[in-house]
């Protein structure tokens, strides 16, 4: 006689509270337990835990991250700061080359920067007559 196959039983899971979700997520992210172990231990489906992990990580990124406008503003401020530093350094190099008479920039810097320094030297010479 053929054995009758048992119908596939769907595991029933209980509703999980927010605190327990955070506990499970924390344990999985810290490597204390695996997703499979958490699923068995807390009687929660693995797909639910994966979903919570994905959802929680995007939530954390939003908390830590900044809006695009703020990021652009911050980057523009950083660019201005770096350009100021570059101009200051070029002024010092131009003055040093005028004092010593040695063209250091042409030998050691990229052509575009050396050209900018040469222009600053020319401007200085015009100012001083």
């Amino acid at each position: 006689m053929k054995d009758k196959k048992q119908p596939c039983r769907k595991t029933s899971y209980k509703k999980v509270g927010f605190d327990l979700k955070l506990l499970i997520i924390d344990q999985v992210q810290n490597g204390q337990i695996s997703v499979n172990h958490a699923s068995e231990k807390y009687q929660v489906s693995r797909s639910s835990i994966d979903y919570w992990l994905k959802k929680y990580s995007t939530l954390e990124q939003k908390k830590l991250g900044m809006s695009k406008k703020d990021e652009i503003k911050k980057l523009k401020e950083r660019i201005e700061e770096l350009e100021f530093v570059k101009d200051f350094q070029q002024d010092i190099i131009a003055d040093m080359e005028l004092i010593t008479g040695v063209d250091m920039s042409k030998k050691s810097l990229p052509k575009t920067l050396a050209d900018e320094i040469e222009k600053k030297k020319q401007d200085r010479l015009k100012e001083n007559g």
Side-chain angles (χ1 to χ4, degrees), residues 47-63:
S47 61
S48 292
I49 295 173
D50 288 335
Y51 174 76
W52 299 337
L53 286 167
K54 184 178 176 184
K55 190 173 179 180
Y56 182 75
S57 68
T58 56
L59 179 67
E60 283 298 307
Q61 287 172 351
K62 285 180 183 176
K63 283 182 187 176

Side-chain angles (χ1 to χ4, degrees), residues 7-13 45:
C8 183
R9 287 189 185 172
K10 186 175 180 181
T11 308
S12 61
Y13 296 104
S45 71

Side-chain angles (χ1 to χ4, degrees), residues 51-99:
Y51 174 76
W52 299 337
L53 286 167
K54 184 178 176 184
K55 190 173 179 180
Y56 182 75
S57 68
T58 56
L59 179 67
E60 283 298 307
Q61 287 172 351
K62 285 180 183 176
K63 283 182 187 176
L64 297 175
M66 58 177 79
S67 72
K68 292 288 183 192
K69 287 182 182 179
D70 290 341
E71 190 173 356
I72 290 170
K73 182 180 176 184
K74 190 173 182 180
L75 289 172
K76 283 182 178 180
E77 289 172 357
R78 181 70 176 142
I79 288 169
E80 286 178 20
E81 178 184 327
L82 291 173
E83 285 178 350
F84 175 79
V85 169
K86 182 187 90 166
D87 287 340
F88 181 72
Q89 289 171 340
Q90 286 179 344
D91 287 341
I92 291 173
I93 292 170
D95 288 343
M96 190 62 125
E97 286 183 357
L98 286 173
I99 292 169

Side-chain angles (χ1 to χ4, degrees), residues 2 4 21 38 41 46 52 54 56 74 79 92 111 115 117 125:
K2 287 188 176 181
K4 251 188 173 182
K21 287 180 187 178
K41 182 177 178 180
R46 290 187 310 262
W52 299 337
K54 184 178 176 184
Y56 182 75
K74 190 173 182 180
I79 288 169
I92 291 173
K111 184 177 179 351
D115 291 344
I117 291 172
L125 289 172

